[in-house]
Amino acid sequence: MDTAPPRDADVLTYRDADDADVPALVDLVQSAYRGDSSRAGWTTEADILEGRRTDPEGVREVIATPGSRLLVVERDGDLVACCQLEHRGDAAYFGMFAVRPGLQGGGLGRRVIAEAERLAVAEWGVREMHMTVISVRDELIAWYERRGYRRTGRMTPFPYGDERFGVPQRDDLRFELLVKDLPPAHS
C-alpha cells in the first residue's frame, strides 16, 4: 500500500526572482490575499481590502533594489511561494510573503519563513527579522507569534487613498511592526 509523503516532505527550491518571474509573482501575491481566489487559503484580506495587493512595478522594484531579494520558491518547477528579504542594518525586513492558496495550511509557509530567516542570518549576519502586518489580522499575527515573532505595538498608518496598496473596506487599518530575534550564524 503506497502512501504519499506529507506535503511538508516535498523538496523546495529557492532562487532569486528575475524580470521573467514578475507576471507570475504578481498573480501569486494577488491570489493569496485579494479577490475570490484568496478565499481558498486562510491569508485572505478580501474582507478588509479590495483591489491590487501589488503590481509589476512594485515587484520589479523589490528585485532591483540593492540589499533586497525576492525569493521564488518552487516545487517540481512550479511556483508555490515567494517572499522579500531586505537588509536593514542589524535587521532584515520580511515582506511580500505569499503561498499559493490551495497549499496553505500544510506547513509550506513555515518552511519558507524558516529558510528566509536562515538566509538573512547567513548572508547578512542580522540579529532580527522585522515585518509589518495589518493590525486587525489577528489570525495571521497569531501565526507569526507561534513562529517566535512578537508584537511591538509600534504602528504606522495605512496609506489610505493610495490604491497601489488596495482599497480599504474599513477605516481602522494600520500596520504593526513584528520582530523576531534570530540566532547567530554558525561559524
Side-chain angles (χ1 to χ4, degrees):
M1 177 166 145
D2 281 336
T3 58
R7 286 188 286 180
D8 222 28
D10 293 338
V11 174
L12 300 177
T13 58
Y14 299 84
R15 64 177 176 79
D16 289 325
D18 60 34
D19 282 342
D21 296 309
V22 170
L25 289 168
V26 170
D27 289 346
L28 172 65
V29 172
Q30 185 72 12
S31 73
Y33 291 97
R34 305 282 167 80
D36 287 337
S37 66
S38 71
R39 295 181 193 281
W42 67 272
T43 61
T44 184
E45 295 172 342
D47 294 329
I48 60 173
L49 290 159
E50 292 181 350
R52 301 297 298 173
R53 175 74 190 272
T54 192
D55 57 24
E57 294 75 26
V59 173
R60 281 189 196 94
E61 183 178 326
V62 171
I63 292 170
T65 298
S68 177
R69 300 178 68 177
L70 184 51
L71 293 179
V72 170
V73 184
E74 296 173 318
R75 183 175 60 202
D76 298 326
D78 291 327
L79 175 64
V80 294
C82 68
C83 68
Q84 169 193 10
L85 287 172
E86 185 177 313
H87 189 197
R88 296 182 178 176
D90 287 341
Y93 177 80
F94 180 80
M96 206 175 282
F97 185 31
V99 173
R100 189 181 300 164
L103 300 177
Q104 293 175 13
L108 180 60
R110 186 175 340 134
R111 291 175 62 196
V112 172
I113 198 168
E115 177 64 8
E117 292 166 358
R118 187 197 70 74
L119 283 171
V121 169
E123 294 186 12
W124 298 323
V126 298
R127 294 186 221 142
E128 290 183 337
M129 186 75 85
H130 293 185
M131 70 174 71
T132 54
V133 178
I134 296 173
S135 64
V136 299
R137 302 285 320 276
D138 295 328
E139 186 179 6
L140 183 59
I141 290 171
W143 187 86
Y144 285 121
E145 287 178 316
R146 290 191 299 275
R147 284 167 187 81
Y149 287 81
R150 65 185 182 281
R151 298 182 85 153
T152 65
R154 292 183 7 216
M155 303 288 180
T156 54
F158 187 86
Y160 284 92
D162 187 343
E163 291 192 10
R164 291 178 305 155
F165 296 94
V167 180
Q169 301 303 296
R170 45 194 291 179
D171 63 3
D172 62 345
L173 302 182
R174 53 195 182 148
F175 294 106
E176 182 172 3
L177 176 67
L178 304 183
V179 175
K180 180 179 181 177
D181 295 325
L182 299 176
H186 295 96
S187 40

